[in-house]
Amino acid sequence: MVIRTEATLALYCPHCGKLQMHSFTRFNLPGAAKQELVCSCGQIQAAISSVGRRQYLLDIPCVLCETTHKVCIDARRFWRAEADKLYCSEENIELGLFGCRRIIAKTFADHKNELDQLPREAEYDDEHIDNPQVMFGIFNRIHDMAEQGDISCRCGQPAIDAEVLPDCIELTCGQCGSRRVVPALTDADLEQVKSLEFIQLIPQRRTRHKQ
């Protein structure tokens, strides 16, 4: 039996939107004081501490419900998980994953086309977003839908470009140019996107001009 000595916690940064991976070993985590987990952009993403030898406690600030989620993870599950997801319990939005770094990386590599089309790696400044909390929630939801193949165009193109604007996210088909604007300004906009099972872009009909 192979005993894994490393585990990775991957969290989405509410400031820059990147997925930041934090790695731990069995030798530096147990018994350690609370550790702050910092994104490469400087944003504090979470804190982790051990609760005895059998559990770990995560404190994850959430910009959606404006609170700090306290997530207790069984130590055996933490070290054996492959790629378990963490969610905001209030909004049911994915906050990150924990488990094997290789499997977490592969999970995202398998969906590289969808991820590349969404500006997950693109930094956006909160000062240029009208409602950052709503935008982050909608951005996360659209990302998950793309990852699951639930965003496409009726022309048959599965890869959709996405542009984050101050009050919306604009989806564009790179093949036929179809567009769909997803409002991202109010709580009602967030609830609307959360209720969608799929998003399909519909090519606009071209009118013929009589000569």
Side-chain angles (χ1 to χ4, degrees):
M1 181 178 67
V2 178
I3 299 178
R4 213 169 69 220
T5 60
E6 294 184 354
T8 294
L9 177 63
L11 297 172
Y12 295 121
C13 179
H15 179 69
C16 70
K18 292 182 179 179
L19 183 76
Q20 184 75 33
M21 294 195 183
H22 307 274
S23 296
F24 308 93
T25 70
R26 289 178 179 266
F27 308 105
N28 65 13
L29 190 54
K34 181 179 291 187
Q35 301 178 35
E36 288 187 341
L37 308 180
V38 183
C39 178
S40 59
C41 73
Q43 174 75 25
I44 296 176
Q45 294 183 280
I48 186 171
S49 58
S50 58
V51 182
R53 296 183 177 181
R54 298 184 177 181
Q55 293 182 321
Y56 298 112
L57 180 65
L58 284 172
D59 294 326
I60 308 178
C62 181
V63 298
L64 294 179
C65 55
E66 298 182 335
T67 188
T68 297
H69 295 297
K70 292 186 177 293
V71 182
C72 200
I73 304 175
D74 180 80
R76 180 177 298 181
R77 179 186 172 201
F78 184 80
W79 296 110
R80 293 185 178 182
E82 294 187 347
D84 287 3
K85 293 184 177 182
L86 297 169
Y87 287 92
C88 165
S89 57
E90 296 294 328
E91 301 293 340
N92 198 32
I93 297 295
E94 184 182 330
L95 299 174
L97 306 90
F98 68 92
C100 174
R101 186 185 186 96
R102 176 180 57 81
I103 296 177
I104 291 175
K106 185 177 184 301
T107 298
F108 285 91
D110 287 344
H111 302 285
K112 189 175 185 302
N113 288 336
E114 291 86 354
L115 294 172
D116 284 346
Q117 302 310 317
L118 293 177
R120 175 64 68 181
E121 298 299 329
E123 298 185 7
Y124 57 84
D125 192 335
D126 286 354
E127 294 180 358
H128 296 94
I129 301 297
D130 291 343
N131 192 330
Q133 293 183 14
V134 169
M135 177 63 76
F136 180 69
I138 292 178
F139 180 75
N140 236 343
R141 173 60 179 156
I142 288 179
H143 169 267
D144 287 345
M145 293 177 70
E147 188 179 29
Q148 296 166 12
D150 294 330
I151 299 180
S152 63
C153 182
R154 188 172 289 182
C155 75
Q157 172 66 275
I160 305 297
D161 296 321
E163 181 180 4
V164 175
L165 300 174
D167 60 352
C168 65
I169 295 177
E170 187 176 76
L171 304 175
T172 306
C173 174
Q175 178 166 288
C176 72
S178 299
R179 295 176 184 272
R180 176 163 176 174
V181 173
V182 180
L185 188 59
T186 67
D187 291 339
D189 293 336
L190 177 58
E191 291 300 320
Q192 173 66 23
V193 173
K194 287 167 59 178
S195 69
L196 296 176
E197 295 182 359
F198 63 91
I199 295 177
Q200 185 178 65
L201 278 64
I202 301 176
Q204 295 181 353
R205 294 181 179 179
R206 296 182 179 180
T207 58
R208 295 183 179 180
H209 297 282
K210 296 181 179 180
Q211 296 183 352

